[in-house]
Amino acid sequence: DTAVSQTPKYLVTQMGNDKSIKCEQNLGHDTMYWYKQDSKKFLKIMFSYNNKELIINETVPNRFSPKSPDKAHLNLHINSLELGDSAVYFCASSHQPGQRNSPLHFGNGTRLTVT
Amino acid sequence: EDQVTQSPEALRLQEGESSSLNCSYTVSGLRGLFWYRQDPGKGPEFLFTLYSAGEEKEKERLKATLTKKESFLHITAPKPEDSATYLCAVPKGYGGATNKLIFGTGTLLAVQP
């Protein structure tokens, strides 16, 4: 009965490779997010989709491309991986932005290590 | 610039020793302040939302309070299982969406038996 699930949990790859992370939520939420947590534990938003539509796109390299096939799924594809991409990537979901009592629910993260 | 600052960075308590964590923020038009708990290897887990100065929320040994410039997370008689990183966050409006959360860097709490 996992609410927000991400796969894989660990991802180790070499520089220059392309990889994807998948996320699914079964909470019936309309909005999904990708956050990046760096080595200092600082969480920063990357993208947000509301009902399959991109609504937040922070200053993220074009090598990162999110895709939302439906409102329960949000995937993250990363091209030409670089050492600096090493981090923990969290997927999250919530009810409609702007609603009160719409906290984010996070998955358990994907630890990406680029060697 | 919108900013969230948490202190202390790390806190070590003995079991039963009460204390408080601080979260100060500088955002215009606060639309709520969120507290999360994060265990190692896990995603942040939602604890509380506070919307207006003077508001308080409680859950077991935790009580969160909010003023116009900061929030406190009070931990009463903590137990070792309260050990975690506590994060606070405020939403920044973005094209009508208010769920672009600005996170603080967290307070790492260790409660020793």
Side-chain angles (χ1 to χ4, degrees):
Chain A
D1 61 342
T2 306
V4 182
S5 59
Q6 298 177 228
T7 55
K9 185 169 177 62
Y10 300 98
L11 188 52
V12 181
T13 188
Q14 291 185 325
M15 282 173 48
N17 284 349
D18 304 337
K19 290 293 179 185
S20 292
I21 307 171
K22 294 187 175 183
C23 178
E24 176 181 4
Q25 56 95 4
N26 63 4
L27 296 167
H29 288 159
D30 299 304
T31 309
M32 296 185 73
Y33 311 78
W34 281 111
Y35 275 79
K36 179 180 179 181
Q37 189 170 47
D38 61 24
S39 57
K40 295 183 178 179
K41 306 292 186 185
F42 184 61
L43 262 171
K44 189 171 181 182
I45 192 167
M46 299 173 69
F47 301 104
S48 175
Y49 271 76
N50 183 47
N51 215 0
K52 300 194 296 176
E53 181 183 348
L54 181 67
I55 56 171
I56 295 176
N57 184 350
E58 286 296 277
T59 308
V60 176
N62 290 338
R63 299 182 293 103
F64 290 79
S65 53
K67 279 193 179 167
S68 181
D70 56 62
K71 69 176 189 177
H73 294 85
L74 180 62
N75 303 323
L76 183 65
H77 188 75
I78 314 170
N79 289 326
S80 303
L81 278 155
E82 301 177 357
L83 292 176
D85 298 331
S86 296
V88 182
Y89 292 85
F90 286 99
C91 177
S93 70
S94 75
H95 289 301
Q96 284 270 6
Q99 283 186 359
R100 270 206 164 194
N101 298 318
S102 58
L104 271 61
H105 295 260
F106 286 85
N108 282 328
T110 295
R111 181 173 293 276
L112 171 65
T113 303
V114 182
T115 61
Chain B
E1 182 185 349
D2 295 338
Q3 204 165 3
V4 177
T5 304
Q6 291 187 246
S7 62
E9 285 188 18
L11 181 62
R12 182 171 292 182
L13 300 173
Q14 291 295 122
E15 185 170 0
E17 180 187 359
S18 301
S19 188
S20 296
L21 313 182
N22 177 263
C23 171
S24 62
Y25 58 90
T26 53
V27 292
S28 53
L30 183 70
R31 296 184 190 84
L33 184 142
F34 296 81
W35 279 100
Y36 284 84
R37 167 191 171 129
Q38 186 173 19
D39 293 297
K42 302 281 187 179
E45 177 189 347
F46 171 70
L47 293 173
F48 305 109
T49 311
L50 301 165
Y51 286 103
S52 54
E55 188 174 358
E56 297 182 352
K57 293 264 179 85
E58 284 191 66
K59 181 179 181 180
E60 296 182 2
R61 295 173 293 282
L62 300 177
K63 183 167 83 171
T65 61
L66 182 66
T67 71
K68 287 187 177 179
K69 291 187 177 181
E70 58 192 348
S71 177
F72 292 93
L73 186 64
H74 307 278
I75 305 175
T76 303
K79 297 182 177 182
E81 53 262 42
D82 295 321
S83 299
T85 297
Y86 290 85
L87 299 164
C88 74
V90 296
K92 178 173 180 177
Y94 187 93
T98 58
N99 270 354
K100 178 186 173 183
L101 289 183
I102 309 296
F103 278 87
T105 49
T107 293
L108 176 60
L109 174 66
V111 181
Q112 295 179 315

